[in-house]
């Protein structure tokens, strides 16, 4: 049974989208299971029903304002690179409102429901589509299947899976507080094996061997972001070790796809131009790694 697993990675999900487009639209891979964590959870629902064009439009036009209704940092672009600074006014506003996070991402929830319609959901729930969330009360990871949810609840679970606290909203459901699935499981390979997958394509949104040296930390927000990145890197390492060991034990084929270079040091920056390039980079990586697929879907030569 073939499965597609997409890791967390914020805006870098555009790269996964381009790669998945090639695998699904050109290689015609027939996935039976779709599992995502964080940005992966934003991708897998529409991928499962072949709505690649709709997904591409979202991931190549989205901006900061489409994600945040209160962004905890300010952006300034110089020499083609972004610099971030603390949004003191925005953070103060959150504290005065009694919020528990530095920023708020309710706009993302609206974006999800605008692009995954009830008609889409009726098709999605016929597939095996799973999103990963972290329960901060039980301190455990939970996997939410589309077929077990209502439309409204499934949109909430996607939102929770992609909400990296404390920069984004804390999602409260059923008396529990939920956050980004990547805080507990960035690459849910083990869950795919548990669901019966025997052949898994894994899109990992980071370099396998990342030895890049980051610039010195300039403020408390960058420190918090760097600490989270460090912890998530360690979680990725653990996920890969567990997945490989379980795959070896159960003789599951694992196929890894990942970018040749680190795409971004801040995956909460949503730049349409940058993300459009990442989408194309992902598509091109698919071509390079699957040369046998290139002729599939091409027009037949004229006789």
């Amino acid at each position: 049974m073939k499965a597609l697993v997409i890791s967390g990675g914020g805006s870098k999900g555009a790269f996964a989208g381009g790669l998945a487009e090639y695998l699904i639209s050109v290689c015609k891979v027939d996935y039976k299971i779709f599992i995502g964590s964080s940005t992966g959870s934003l991708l897998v629902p529409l991928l499962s029903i072949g709505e690649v064009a709709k997904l591409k439009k979202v991931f190549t036009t989205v901006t900061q304002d489409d994600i945040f209704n209160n962004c905890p940092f300010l952006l300034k672009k110089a020499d083609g690179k972004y610099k971030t600074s603390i949004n003191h006014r925005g953070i103060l506003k959150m504290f005065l409102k009694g919020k528990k996070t530095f920023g708020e991402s309710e706009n993302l929830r609206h974006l999800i429901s605008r692009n995954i319609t009830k008609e889409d959901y009726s098709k999605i729930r016929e597939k095996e589509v799973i999103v990963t969330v972290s329960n901060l009360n039980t301190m455990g990871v939970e996997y939410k299947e589309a077929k077990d949810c209502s439309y409204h609840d499934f949109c909430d679970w996607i939102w929770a899976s992609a909400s990296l606290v404390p920069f984004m909203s804390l999602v409260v459901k059923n008396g529990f507080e939920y956050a980004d699935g990547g805080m507990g499981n960035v690459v849910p390979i083990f869950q795919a094996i548990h669901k019966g997958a025997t052949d898994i394509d894994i899109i990992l949104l980071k370099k396998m061997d990342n030895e890049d040296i980051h610039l010195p930390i300039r403020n408390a927000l960058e420190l918090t972001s760097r600490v989270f990145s460090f912890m998530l890197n360690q979680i990725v390492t653990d996920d890969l070790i567990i997945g490989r060991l379980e795959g070896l034990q159960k003789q599951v084929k694992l196929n890894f796809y990942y970018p040749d270079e680190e795409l971004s040091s801040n995956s909460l920056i949503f730049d349409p131009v940058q993300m459009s390039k990442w989408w194309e980079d992902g598509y091109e990586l698919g071509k390079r790694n699957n040369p046998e697929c290139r002729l599939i879907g091409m027009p037949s030569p004229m006789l």
Side-chain angles (χ1 to χ4, degrees), residues 32-277:
K32 301 300 184 184
I33 302 170
F34 296 80
I35 304 181
S37 182
S38 194
T39 197
S41 295
L42 296 171
L43 288 157
V44 294
L46 289 177
L47 288 174
S48 73
I49 58 172
E51 289 284 355
V52 177
K54 181 191 287 191
L55 194 63
K56 181 176 182 179
K57 183 177 180 181
V58 174
F59 268 81
T60 57
T61 61
V62 70
T63 66
Q64 296 297 112
D65 290 339
D66 293 314
I67 305 298
F68 296 96
N69 53 297
N70 190 349
C71 187
F73 51 86
L74 302 173
L75 293 178
K76 184 177 181 181
K77 195 171 185 178
D79 300 323
K81 294 183 179 181
Y82 281 101
K83 293 183 179 180
T84 60
S85 58
I86 299 174
N87 181 1
H88 293 93
R89 180 178 296 179
I91 292 176
L92 178 60
K93 181 179 177 181
M94 292 293 290
F95 283 129
L96 291 176
K97 290 170 64 177
K99 300 290 186 177
K100 301 176 183 179
T101 55
F102 299 142
E104 200 164 37
S105 54
E106 291 182 358
N107 288 357
L108 174 59
R109 176 61 177 83
H110 299 314
L111 182 68
I112 292 167
S113 58
R114 285 200 307 271
N115 288 280
I116 300 178
T117 65
K118 290 183 178 180
E119 290 73 21
D120 291 331
Y121 176 68
S122 66
K123 299 174 185 177
I124 292 167
R125 70 191 312 270
E126 295 175 0
K127 309 286 185 176
E128 194 81 10
V129 181
I130 303 168
V131 301
T132 310
V133 295
S134 299
N135 187 322
L136 300 186
N137 300 110
T138 66
M139 303 297 282
V141 177
E142 298 177 11
Y143 303 94
K144 306 298 182 179
E145 299 193 34
K147 62 184 179 183
D148 296 332
C149 304
S150 68
Y151 168 73
H152 178 83
D153 285 342
F154 189 60
C155 288
D156 278 348
W157 292 130
I158 296 170
W159 179 38
S161 182
S163 290
L164 181 60
V165 297
F167 309 108
M168 302 171 76
S169 297
L170 185 65
V171 179
V172 179
K173 281 190 72 65
N174 306 324
F176 294 104
E177 296 167 314
Y178 289 93
D180 194 294
M183 296 176 68
N185 194 348
V186 183
V187 198
I189 303 169
F190 182 85
Q191 183 65 12
I193 297 173
H194 175 71
K195 296 299 293 184
T198 55
D199 188 350
I200 309 174
D201 285 344
I202 302 147
I203 302 180
L204 179 64
L205 293 171
K206 69 180 294 296
K207 287 171 61 180
M208 291 292 277
D209 299 310
N210 186 8
E211 298 179 354
D212 295 341
I213 304 299
H214 294 277
L215 295 173
I217 295 166
R218 294 176 302 167
N219 55 55
L221 191 65
E222 283 193 3
L223 174 60
T224 305
S225 177
R226 186 75 59 84
V227 169
F228 266 84
S229 295
F230 178 86
M231 290 190 295
L232 291 175
N233 279 338
Q234 305 313 304
I235 294 171
V236 167
T237 301
D238 292 343
D239 289 344
L240 295 179
I241 292 172
I242 292 169
R244 282 172 169 149
L245 289 174
E246 188 70 11
L248 184 63
Q249 181 181 354
K250 296 189 176 180
Q251 297 184 322
V252 176
K253 183 181 179 184
L254 304 180
N255 316 296
F256 290 91
Y257 297 88
Y258 50 88
D260 298 325
E261 58 185 22
E262 194 64 29
L263 300 175
S264 174
S265 60
N266 188 339
S267 60
L268 295 181
I269 296 175
F270 297 87
D271 179 342
V273 174
Q274 191 175 61
M275 293 174 71
S276 295
K277 179 182 181 302

